[in-house]
Amino acid sequence: MESGSWHMEERTTLRDELFKDVDNVPETGCLSIVLLGASGDLAKKKTFPALYNLFRQGFLPPDEVHIFGYARSKISDEELRNRIRGYLSNEKSASSENLENLRNFLQLVKYVSGSYDSEEGFQLLDKEISKQELSKNTVEGSSRRLFYLALPPSVYPSVCKMIRHFCTNKSDLGGWTRIVVEKPFGKDLGSAEQLSAQIGELFEEPQIFRIDHYLGKELVQNMLVLRFANRFFLPLWNRDNIDNIQIVFREDFGTEGRGGYFDEYGIVRDIIQNHLLQILCLLAMEKPVSLKPEHIRDEKVKVLQSVLPIKDEDVVLGQYEGYRDDPTVPDNSNTPTFATVILRINNERWEGVPFILKAGKALDSRKADIRVQFKDVPGDIFRCKKQGRNEFVIRLQPSEAMYMKLTVKTPGLEMQTIQSELDLSYGQRYQGVTIPEAYERLILDIIRGDQQHFVRRDELKVAWEIFTPLLHRIDGGEMKPVPYKPGSRGPAAADELLEKAGYVQTHGYVWIPPAL
């Protein structure tokens, strides 16, 4: 009971903080959330479920919030509700309380049909939003309007133009209009800058939220706390003690019906240039002046500006056998489904430390983790170097955990050493605590106007500057992926590159999540 009371008190406090004086908005200001592309997979599988969970936890009060779906499909409110219902809750096993929550949430969802470049469609959308705002006695200009573009980037400019001209607040009495755009934000530096310019002509930078869902993951959000709130990390977190840092994303399945889409982008654009690079920023940045979003984002930009150009010898590309069998993939596709890229940061803290970014599909496991590998102990009197180095591992998914690999004495009468770990496994330590989905946290941040976990325009530009030369060499066929078998570790050349970079693999040690 005590634990439950604490959670209720915490939830109430957070909810009060969320809706108290957000950008000086009067408490009567209605919040309208519009999902453009409402019939697509992203909206159904991620965005609507995130909104439902926020509603269920009290963060989206029904007397203040309305949710609108907008897409080209000619369907009714009830048809949209039926389409998303199965993604929100398992009604067969749901409790009566959850069923009531589901019913109440679905009643907030309304649907408007229209094309993405149609004045009539967006005028109708504005009319429906205004109708709901009036029903809440909202003073014109005090309402909050959030537009989530779960759409292909190609339609961002036209949609943003329609929103700007037809769906923003007509006057300014403390309300706001905010735009959320998903990756991929461009395909290279030129296209990203063009897209930024087109949207930037319509909306101010504080109104634009470029979402990268990896920044909403629990362990990613923990990084600044780990680095800057723990004394024992401060003297160790530099080139004098750390040999290399590896950021890994692995999937045990292929493109699975998304081959045509994936082939346009490849693994570097899809995962490394955004998700993994954002994690690198948090690992490598200097301590910000404060926790204000702009101070944090300033430090991330400084890190990216210090990254040296990528050398061809620091890249291994792969394509799993069978990828081109997908009828939507060209027979001569040069698109990599695997990549290992070494980035080097030219500053006082990190000179000489390779940051190894690795991502791949159709591999032998599914996980995402960070491995900070420390240098060998000088004067190894125990002769245990072969057992492996100290590593600090942050496991992002699945089975969220942080653990330190270290050398200890084997229990018994003999003086023998073995690799073990100090382990913080979330499933064991925080039993009964539900870790929120990344989209829940980020949507909450958008409503609050907190841009800490969103990508700023200059940050996006520098990120593309790092990878565009490599991407153009891949697109031009100058660099070709080597084949690898599905279910393997990837190309053998990738392991050779890791070894060349200084990474020492621990043989015979396997981390096992503690049983409850």
Side-chain angles (χ1 to χ4, degrees):
M1 287 295 291
E2 186 177 342
S3 173
S5 300
W6 181 87
H7 285 299
M8 183 59 71
E9 181 182 339
E10 176 80 357
R11 192 169 69 192
T12 304
T13 303
L14 286 172
R15 190 260 174 216
D16 291 343
E17 182 184 348
L18 169 62
F19 285 99
K20 181 183 178 184
D21 298 329
V22 177
D23 284 357
N24 299 316
V25 178
E27 289 192 3
T28 54
C30 181
L31 172 61
S32 298
I33 300 173
V34 182
L35 267 63
L36 296 112
S39 56
D41 276 358
L42 176 64
K44 290 187 294 189
K45 294 177 180 178
K46 295 294 184 183
T47 321
F48 275 120
L51 292 173
Y52 172 62
N53 286 330
L54 289 174
F55 170 81
R56 204 166 43 83
Q57 296 172 74
F59 290 112
L60 298 179
D63 57 337
E64 298 179 20
V65 175
H66 277 285
I67 299 168
F68 298 87
Y70 184 93
R72 289 175 296 208
S73 307
K74 302 285 186 181
I75 59 174
S76 65
D77 294 351
E78 199 57 39
E79 284 175 302
L80 175 62
R81 292 166 186 164
N82 288 334
R83 286 189 183 189
I84 64 175
R85 187 189 301 268
Y87 295 98
L88 306 182
S89 176
N90 185 344
E91 294 184 78
K92 293 180 180 178
S93 60
S95 65
S96 57
E97 180 185 1
N98 284 340
L99 287 173
E100 185 178 356
N101 279 331
L102 180 62
R103 283 193 294 269
N104 292 338
F105 174 79
L106 289 173
Q107 287 307 306
L108 300 179
V109 177
K110 298 190 178 298
Y111 182 76
V112 177
S113 174
S115 66
Y116 297 121
D117 57 359
S118 158
E119 294 185 8
E120 292 79 10
F122 282 88
Q123 287 171 336
L124 177 60
L125 176 61
D126 180 67
K127 181 180 177 182
E128 290 298 319
I129 296 172
S130 299
K131 186 190 302 181
Q132 296 302 327
E133 290 171 348
L134 286 172
S135 72
K136 302 293 190 216
N137 298 317
T138 299
V139 177
E140 187 179 38
S142 70
S143 62
R144 296 161 285 169
R145 296 185 174 190
L146 191 165
F147 295 87
Y148 195 117
L149 278 60
L151 297 165
S154 58
V155 300
Y156 286 172
S158 62
V159 169
C160 286
K161 186 177 180 180
M162 293 294 116
I163 293 170
R164 178 69 182 84
H165 291 316
F166 300 107
C167 296
T168 56
N169 279 314
K170 306 302 182 290
S171 58
D172 184 8
L173 289 177
W176 47 252
T177 302
R178 292 174 184 154
I179 306 295
V180 186
V181 291
E182 279 273 356
K183 76 166 187 73
F185 199 84
K187 295 186 71 173
D188 57 11
L189 177 60
S191 58
E193 278 291 278
Q194 182 181 12
L195 203 51
S196 289
Q198 290 171 325
I199 298 177
E201 289 175 359
L202 300 166
F203 296 97
E204 300 293 329
E205 183 65 22
Q207 295 179 280
I208 304 167
F209 289 74
R210 299 174 189 86
I211 196 167
D212 183 334
H213 76 271
Y214 251 61
L215 290 177
K217 289 185 175 294
E218 181 66 35
L219 273 295
V220 175
Q221 297 230 327
N222 212 335
M223 282 186 199
L224 294 190
V225 180
L226 283 170
R227 285 197 54 201
F228 301 124
N230 293 288
R231 177 76 189 199
F232 57 81
F233 279 130
L234 295 177
L236 297 177
W237 212 259
N238 54 50
R239 62 190 177 95
D240 295 330
N241 298 286
I242 293 174
D243 188 89
N244 59 80
I245 294 179
Q246 195 174 168
I247 308 169
V248 180
F249 174 92
R250 305 167 68 90
E251 287 183 333
D252 56 1
F253 53 88
T255 53
E256 296 195 339
R258 294 176 66 246
Y261 166 82
F262 181 85
D263 200 71
E264 285 187 52
Y265 296 96
I267 200 73
V268 178
R269 288 185 177 94
D270 197 39
I271 302 295
I272 294 179
Q273 185 271 339
N274 38 72
H275 297 334
L276 303 195
L277 193 62
Q278 284 295 313
I279 293 172
L280 178 146
C281 289
L282 296 173
L283 289 168
M285 63 184 272
E286 297 299 320
K287 182 188 289 187
V289 175
S290 75
L291 290 177
K292 290 181 178 178
E294 292 315 306
H295 289 158
I296 292 171
R297 300 202 292 180
D298 286 345
E299 296 301 333
K300 290 168 67 181
V301 171
K302 289 177 187 176
V303 168
L304 294 175
Q305 289 172 333
S306 300
V307 174
L308 295 171
I310 300 170
K311 297 179 180 179
D312 287 359
E313 59 263 32
D314 284 338
V315 179
V316 170
L317 305 175
Q319 187 185 89
Y320 68 83
E321 295 173 2
Y323 169 72
R324 299 181 194 176
D325 294 343
D326 185 324
T328 62
V329 173
D331 293 338
N332 61 346
S333 172
N334 197 54
T335 301
T337 61
F338 174 99
T340 296
V341 180
I342 297 177
L343 298 186
R344 302 179 190 275
I345 299 173
N346 184 33
N347 65 18
E348 184 178 0
R349 182 182 293 272
W350 296 116
E351 184 180 358
V353 179
F355 283 75
I356 304 161
L357 278 55
K358 182 166 71 173
K361 290 182 173 291
L363 299 176
D364 57 353
S365 61
R366 173 186 172 268
K367 67 177 181 179
D369 61 23
I370 301 157
R371 294 181 174 271
V372 180
Q373 187 169 91
F374 293 90
K375 293 186 174 182
D376 292 324
V377 175
D380 181 19
I381 61 173
F382 295 102
R383 295 182 174 86
C384 54
K385 185 182 292 188
K386 290 182 180 179
Q387 290 176 346
R389 290 170 165 172
N390 294 150
E391 282 186 10
F392 178 50
V393 182
I394 303 172
R395 189 179 178 99
L396 305 178
Q397 66 180 34
S399 305
E400 292 92 344
M402 292 180 283
Y403 58 95
M404 177 71 83
K405 289 167 58 177
L406 70 171
T407 302
V408 298
K409 176 186 174 296
T410 306
L413 296 175
E414 300 295 327
M415 177 53 73
Q416 294 180 342
T417 59
I418 191 172
Q419 280 255 308
S420 189
E421 71 281 323
L422 298 175
D423 195 329
L424 168 58
S425 288
Y426 275 52
Q428 184 182 51
R429 179 64 179 85
Y430 302 113
Q431 295 181 37
V433 176
T434 301
I435 295 177
E437 286 290 328
Y439 281 95
E440 294 173 39
R441 195 187 311 269
L442 294 176
I443 290 172
L444 201 55
D445 283 346
I446 296 163
I447 295 169
R448 298 171 70 178
D450 184 348
Q451 289 212 337
Q452 175 180 335
H453 302 112
F454 297 86
V455 181
R456 200 167 64 190
R457 180 174 175 174
D458 58 340
E459 183 183 347
L460 179 73
K461 180 182 178 183
V462 184
W464 277 119
E465 285 175 347
I466 293 168
F467 281 96
T468 292
L470 170 63
L471 290 166
H472 283 179
R473 292 199 294 277
I474 296 171
D475 294 343
E478 297 170 45
M479 298 187 71
K480 296 189 179 296
V482 297
Y484 64 94
K485 292 189 178 298
S488 68
R489 283 177 52 84
D495 285 335
E496 294 168 8
L497 179 60
L498 258 64
E499 187 176 347
K500 179 183 170 186
Y503 178 73
V504 176
Q505 190 173 352
T506 306
H507 295 284
Y509 169 88
V510 178
W511 177 74
I512 301 173
L516 297 179

